[in-house]
Amino acid sequence: MLAYIVRRLLLMIPTLFGIMALNFVIIQIAPGGPVEQVIANLTGQGGGAVERITQSGGDFTAGSNTQPAPGASSGSQATSSYRGAQGLDPQFIKDLEKRFGFDKPLGERFVLMIGNYLTFDFGNSFFRDQSVVDLVIDKMPVSISLGLWTTLLTYLICLPLGIRKAVRDGSRFDIWTSGVIIVGNAIPSFGFAILLLVLFAGGNYYDWFPLRGLTSPGFEHMHWWEQVIDYFWHLTLPLAAMMIGAFATLTLLTKNSFLDQISQQYVTTARAKGLTEGQVLWGHVFRNAMLIVIAGFPGAFVGILFGSAVFIETIFSLDGLGLLGLESALNRDYPVMFATLYVFTLLGLVMGLIGDLTYMLVDPRIDFEARGA
């Protein structure tokens, strides 16, 4: 097992490097970079996404149509490829490029970035007066809450449901629950989230749940039991929206896994020995059927955590990693974009390894090392 772990860890290095390199090139050559974002806001042409750049020695504040942009030159035009740079002093453009690190060649910028990321030095946000690490740590509790509770609730509901469907395969219960699962899987999470807001969060019908945030004002002054109630009160609608499409795969996986084990010869032998259906189901079938389901927990958590987080956090105004990533993409905040990509990719690769190791621990018959994996 140790050799397999070492091989997988070594394989993560070129995989992570390739993902970062490909995305780095695509994002760098895409139009509308941070320099253009600043120029658009300084000249009054932007959408207001970038309001201020914090730098040593002062700030550049976004101007308006009635005020000239800092660095503007009335007698010269900037010979620049940046859109909207006409009328700005070329030296001002060069200062912007230097501030964002664009005065260096593309390859050198990538090498410097990867070198810093190896020590988890992600630098500072372009458009927030805060380090990227502090931003990620600040947003992490929201995303972890959504991902963890969604995964746990999904497993707690889908496992018994899948087992019940397998035991009563072909019955009315199996048929109508399959219909409900298929319909739920066909509903997009963001569409269901909007429906929940309209119905239960102050829309045209009921005002039962809050519109934004994970806690209410004055949360820190509540009793512990009031804090628990308030926390889950805020989580109810987001969790319902994230879980709507998560039932189908896990429920059907559980059902098919049980059906496959029920048809095995050892089940027939156990029944011939006089064991009850409950003893056969829970003493023999359950342990073998749950291998693939339990081992898939790490991957399911990562998939749920990053799958619907952007839409759900945006719709419910939850200040988490998904919303942070969306805002950084819109604002071309490269340090935040690449740092979150690096962390998410690394986490996904590690979770993949943990999933494989879980398979091996749950079922000793599975040996990836012997297969040369």
Side-chain angles (χ1 to χ4, degrees), residues 5 28 30 83 85 135 145 162-163 215 345 352 366:
I5 295 175
Q28 292 287 337
R83 183 175 55 185
L135 276 173
S145 294
I163 295 173
T215 57
T345 303
I366 299 176

Side-chain angles (χ1 to χ4, degrees), residues 274-332:
L275 297 180
T276 64
E277 285 298 317
Q279 291 174 324
V280 173
L281 180 64
W282 301 109
H284 297 274
V285 176
F286 181 82
R287 181 178 58 184
N288 295 322
M290 285 293 98
L291 294 178
I292 188 172
V293 178
I294 296 175
F297 184 87
F301 172 72
V302 174
I304 292 174
L305 179 62
F306 304 135
S308 303
V310 175
F311 298 112
I312 300 304
E313 290 179 12
T314 302
I315 293 172
F316 290 100
S317 299
L318 299 174
D319 197 10
L321 292 176
L323 186 58
L324 175 66
L326 177 62
E327 291 178 348
S328 64
L330 294 176
N331 297 343
R332 302 299 194 273

Side-chain angles (χ1 to χ4, degrees), residues 10 20 31 43 52 75 92 124 128 191 202-204 288 312 317 358:
L10 293 177
M20 293 299 299
T43 56
R52 187 174 66 180
F92 174 72
N124 296 318
R128 300 170 186 249
N204 298 328
N288 295 322
I312 300 304
S317 299
T358 306

Side-chain angles (χ1 to χ4, degrees), residues 94-210:
K94 292 182 179 179
D95 291 340
L96 279 179
E97 292 178 336
K98 184 176 182 180
R99 187 168 298 109
F100 290 123
F102 291 167
D103 57 328
K104 301 180 179 65
L106 187 67
E108 183 179 350
R109 296 205 304 270
F110 178 74
V111 171
L112 290 174
M113 183 188 74
I114 292 298
N116 292 331
Y117 282 14
L118 291 177
T119 59
F120 292 93
D121 178 12
F122 301 121
N124 296 318
S125 168
F126 281 164
F127 305 116
R128 300 170 186 249
D129 189 15
Q130 197 172 0
S131 70
V132 175
V133 172
D134 291 339
L135 276 173
V136 172
I137 293 176
D138 185 49
K139 313 298 183 184
M140 186 71 75
V142 173
S143 297
I144 293 296
S145 294
L146 289 175
L148 183 60
W149 285 115
T150 302
T151 305
L152 290 177
L153 290 175
T154 300
Y155 268 73
L156 289 176
I157 295 174
C158 292
L159 294 187
L161 180 59
I163 295 173
R164 185 69 172 173
K165 286 174 64 63
V167 173
R168 302 185 59 181
D169 183 41
S171 66
R172 286 186 177 182
F173 174 82
D174 182 40
I175 294 174
W176 75 260
T177 52
S178 296
V180 172
I181 290 172
I182 293 173
V183 172
N185 189 53
I187 299 176
S189 59
F190 66 89
F192 190 62
I194 296 174
L195 177 64
L196 292 176
L197 285 178
V198 174
L199 293 178
F200 304 114
N204 298 328
Y205 297 92
Y206 304 102
D207 189 10
W208 292 349
F209 297 95

